[in-house]
Amino acid sequence: MKTLTRIDRAITRFEGWLLIFFLSLMVSLTFIQVTLRSLFIYAHFEWANDFMGALDWAEPFARLLVLWVSFLGASLVTGENKHIKIDLLTSLIPPSWFPLREIFLSLAGTVVSALMVKASVFYIRTEISFGGTLFLSLPTWVGQLILPLGFSLICFRFLLRALGATLAVLRGTAS
């Protein structure tokens, strides 16, 4: 379990830095586009329009970064157990059963995210066979690799939580 926790911490650090980088890149590209558009429309600088043409790939890239930031953020909040929860069981079961509820919900999250990994791998295979491109001749499937990667990370985090809760119940340290 210690090894899995170390791996999780390393992944979390990498995800955090990647999230900061992607978010900064997304905001910067959007700011540059808005600034250039304003310079062209209001100040009538022709060079701004020419430069916007050279950056025609920036808008679809920023949209793609939204997807990547969303999945990286979802993985991080799942690891911190701060994800969106719809939990009817808490009000229906006695508090002494809460540790078992945590195991059950974590395993359910693991199964659902594992099914999403399988579906997203099928989707990526379909995109590869289709052969479409996004921008700058980048294949569509490359940009969408975050789908199986993100769901895999979420699955790993739920599995880690289920293992931790199970060990806590077995040791009698669950609260």
Side-chain angles (χ1 to χ4, degrees):
M1 187 68 183
K2 286 183 182 181
T3 304
L4 289 176
T5 304
R6 283 188 201 137
I7 292 170
D8 182 48
R9 274 193 239 126
I11 291 171
T12 300
R13 274 194 301 275
F14 182 69
E15 280 177 320
W17 284 109
L18 205 55
L19 190 63
I20 290 167
F21 175 70
F22 285 165
L23 193 56
S24 301
L25 188 58
M26 186 173 58
V27 168
S28 299
L29 286 172
T30 305
F31 176 77
I32 290 168
Q33 283 185 300
V34 169
T35 303
L36 289 172
R37 191 173 295 124
S38 296
L39 286 172
F40 175 68
I41 292 172
Y42 299 112
H44 306 291
F45 289 134
E46 193 63 38
W47 61 266
N49 190 36
D50 295 337
F51 197 56
M52 275 192 316
L55 290 177
D56 63 343
W57 54 269
E59 188 175 339
F61 183 56
R63 283 195 307 264
L64 185 64
L65 286 176
V66 169
L67 182 68
W68 280 74
V69 165
S70 299
F71 269 94
L72 291 173
S75 174
L76 283 172
V77 297
T78 301
E80 295 175 5
N81 201 22
K82 294 181 180 177
H83 52 86
I84 296 174
K85 300 176 188 177
I86 301 173
D87 187 12
L88 179 65
L89 293 176
T90 304
S91 59
L92 298 176
I93 63 174
S96 61
W97 289 17
F98 284 1
L100 295 175
R101 175 209 60 172
E102 182 64 28
I103 294 169
F104 173 75
L105 292 176
S106 296
L107 288 174
T110 302
V111 169
V112 169
S113 53
L115 290 172
M116 293 305 294
V117 169
K118 182 179 178 183
S120 60
V121 166
F122 175 77
Y123 176 70
I124 295 295
R125 285 183 181 154
T126 304
E127 284 295 327
I128 290 170
S129 68
F130 179 67
T133 58
L134 287 170
F135 48 86
L136 301 175
S137 300
L138 182 72
T140 306
W141 64 270
V142 172
Q144 296 167 349
L145 280 176
I146 189 60
L147 298 172
L149 178 66
F151 284 124
S152 296
L153 290 168
I154 291 169
C155 183
F156 173 70
R157 299 269 165 66
F158 274 126
L159 183 60
L160 200 61
R161 181 168 317 293
L163 289 172
T166 303
L167 288 175
V169 166
L170 293 176
R171 291 181 186 145
T173 59
S175 53

